Amino acid sequence: MRRSSGRGQVEPLAALAAVLAVSAGFVVYADTFEETTPEEPDDQTPSAIVDAVQRSLQSAGVASPARLDAATTAVPSGWEANVTLAADGTRWQRGPAPPASADRVSRRVSVRVAPRRIQPGQLRVVVWR
């Protein structure tokens, strides 16, 4: 009868070399992954500005035309914005007239058109420097 205790064993030095090789592979992979992933957008991009305007316009996920003035103050200095909220055949707008080269973003939102009355609507934000 053969003894199986002699099979499948590795010298300690070889096992240590294998662990170091795998660890080095993970380090190279992590470094490459970090360099190739896109950076997080900062709060000076048009998309981030639109997010900030939408957050200041909404309460409990519902946009309110009464908060349009507060929404325009969410725009960082150095940027201009025109904010339009439309629902139920009515449009509310704040901000100066945008130039043709401005960035335009539209999003579907829920809009409180009257107390206890919420309608689907559209938020349109135009930003430029």
Side-chain angles (χ1 to χ4, degrees):
M1 180 168 180
R2 288 184 170 184
R3 296 187 73 196
S4 63
S5 63
R7 293 187 296 168
Q9 293 182 356
V10 179
E11 291 290 325
L13 190 57
L16 184 60
V19 168
L20 288 175
V22 170
S23 298
F26 279 131
V27 168
V28 169
Y29 172 77
D31 188 43
T32 303
F33 182 75
E34 180 188 11
E35 290 175 5
T36 58
T37 54
E39 292 183 21
E40 291 292 316
D42 61 11
D43 53 341
Q44 293 292 315
T45 63
S47 177
I49 293 170
V50 172
D51 290 339
V53 167
Q54 185 174 358
R55 279 192 306 272
S56 66
L57 191 60
Q58 291 180 327
S59 174
V62 179
S64 174
R67 301 180 113 202
L68 274 172
D69 290 328
T72 56
T73 61
V75 178
S77 62
W79 288 84
E80 296 287 332
N82 180 292
V83 180
T84 304
L85 189 61
D88 200 28
T90 307
R91 287 180 36 164
W92 300 271
Q93 183 174 357
R94 297 290 188 281
S101 62
D103 293 314
R104 302 171 188 317
V105 177
S106 293
R107 295 185 180 165
R108 300 216 23 110
V109 294
S110 298
V111 180
R112 179 174 290 114
V113 293
R116 297 184 315 248
R117 191 162 162 238
I118 298 172
Q119 295 290 320
Q122 185 168 5
L123 170 66
R124 183 171 173 251
V125 182
V126 184
V127 294
W128 68 95
R129 285 188 182 219

